[in-house]
Amino acid sequence: MELNNTRARSPEKKQERFNQIMEVTNDLFLKHSYHDITLTTIAKALNWSRGNLYKYVNTKEEIFLEIYLSKQEEFINSLKESFESKKIDQVYFANKLSQCFDQHRLYLRYHNILATIIETNVSVEKLADFKIKSYKQREYFFELLQIQCPQLSPKQVKMLFLTLMYHACGLDSHTHGTKLLEDAMALANLEIYYDNYCQLMSTFIIMCLNNFK
C-alpha cells in the first residue's frame, strides 16, 4: 500500500493516517507471526521511512492495542445485534454466543497475545488509557452475562468473562491450523483433525452457565 508520507497536521488527518497504519499492520498479522512484524516491516508496507512512522507511534504495540480495540468493538457490536437485554434459554444463548465468537476469530487471536505480549512493551500511561477503553467496551458483555447468571456478583461475572474468553482463544488454536502445522503433520505422516468450533464452545458455555460460582 502506497501512502502519502507527508506529515498529517489536523486531528482528522492524523486519525485517518493512523487508521491506514492499523489496516496495513492487520494485513501483515494475517500473513506473518507477531514477532516477524516490526516497525520496519510496517513502514515498508506503507512505503514510508521508519522515521516517518515514528511521527505517529513509538512501538508496534501501540498499533496493536488500537487494532485490538477495533476488533473488540466489532465483536461487541455483533453481541448487540444477536441479543436483547433479557434472560433467554441457555442453549439458545450458548449457541448464539458461540457463533459470535466464531465470526470474530481474528479478535480472539489478538486477545490470545494481549496480556503476555502486546501489553508488555508500552508505557504505563498508554496501557492505562487502553484498559479504560477496553473495559468500557466490555460493559455490554458483562451485562449479558449478569442477566443470564443473576446469582453471580459483578466480580464473578468478570471471572466468567475471562473464563469464556480464554477458552474461546484456546479452541480457536485447536480448530484453526496454520500452514506450518499442516506441513509438519504431513511430514510426520500424522492426520490432523479440526473439531467443530461452535459445537465445542457452546457446550463449554452451557457448562459454565450451569456451574460457575
Side-chain angles (χ1 to χ4, degrees):
M1 178 182 289
E2 185 173 358
L3 300 174
N4 185 342
N5 62 8
T6 303
R7 185 169 187 174
R9 298 295 181 183
S10 69
E12 294 79 12
K13 286 294 184 181
K14 289 180 179 178
Q15 185 59 55
E16 179 182 337
R17 196 63 53 80
F18 193 80
N19 289 343
Q20 293 170 328
I21 293 170
M22 288 197 297
E23 180 182 351
V24 165
T25 305
N26 185 64
D27 288 344
L28 289 172
F29 187 68
L30 292 173
K31 302 171 185 175
H32 306 281
S33 74
Y34 178 85
H35 296 292
D36 288 335
I37 301 170
T38 65
L39 289 182
T40 299
T41 60
I42 294 170
K44 183 177 179 181
L46 290 162
N47 285 330
W48 289 4
S49 68
R50 180 166 171 151
N52 194 58
L53 187 57
Y54 273 123
K55 297 173 184 177
Y56 301 95
V57 296
N58 293 315
T59 68
K60 72 174 182 180
E61 285 76 16
E62 293 177 17
I63 306 171
F64 277 92
L65 288 179
E66 292 301 319
I67 293 175
Y68 178 89
L69 289 175
S70 70
K71 297 302 178 186
Q72 180 167 260
E73 183 178 25
E74 292 172 3
F75 172 69
I76 296 299
N77 285 338
S78 74
L79 294 181
K80 292 178 179 179
E81 293 172 0
S82 300
F83 296 99
E84 297 179 13
S85 296
K86 62 180 181 180
K87 188 171 183 178
I88 57 177
D89 176 75
Q90 285 191 349
V91 173
Y92 179 79
F93 178 86
N95 288 339
K96 294 294 289 185
L97 182 54
S98 65
Q99 289 170 15
C100 288
F101 278 125
D102 189 35
Q103 291 164 5
H104 295 272
R105 302 279 282 272
L106 185 55
Y107 164 57
L108 298 178
R109 286 162 208 166
Y110 281 115
H111 187 85
N112 200 34
I113 60 173
L114 179 65
T116 56
I117 301 177
I118 300 176
E119 293 181 346
T120 62
N121 192 35
V122 293
S123 69
V124 64
E125 293 81 10
K126 290 280 187 182
L127 186 56
D129 181 63
F130 167 78
K131 289 297 187 182
I132 291 171
K133 294 175 180 176
S134 181
Y135 273 67
K136 184 68 176 177
Q137 287 180 339
R138 295 173 183 178
E139 285 179 354
Y140 181 77
F141 198 177
F142 296 156
E143 291 173 7
L144 281 181
L145 296 176
Q146 187 74 77
I147 290 170
Q148 285 300 123
C149 303
Q151 77 279 9
L152 300 182
S153 68
K155 182 178 180 180
Q156 289 172 319
V157 165
K158 291 179 181 179
M159 289 303 299
L160 174 57
F161 162 81
L162 289 175
T163 300
L164 295 178
M165 285 299 302
Y166 285 115
H167 194 74
C169 292
L171 277 184
D172 173 65
S173 300
H174 178 67
T175 59
H176 172 77
T178 64
K179 181 65 165 56
L180 177 62
L181 173 63
E182 291 171 355
D183 290 346
M185 292 294 281
L187 183 62
N189 198 29
L190 296 171
E191 189 170 358
I192 189 167
Y193 297 96
Y194 294 128
D195 293 315
N196 184 287
Y197 181 90
C198 283
Q199 182 178 351
L200 292 174
M201 191 65 207
S202 181
T203 299
F204 183 77
I205 293 170
I206 292 172
M207 181 182 70
C208 287
L209 293 179
N210 288 330
N211 298 289
F212 201 90
K213 297 180 181 179

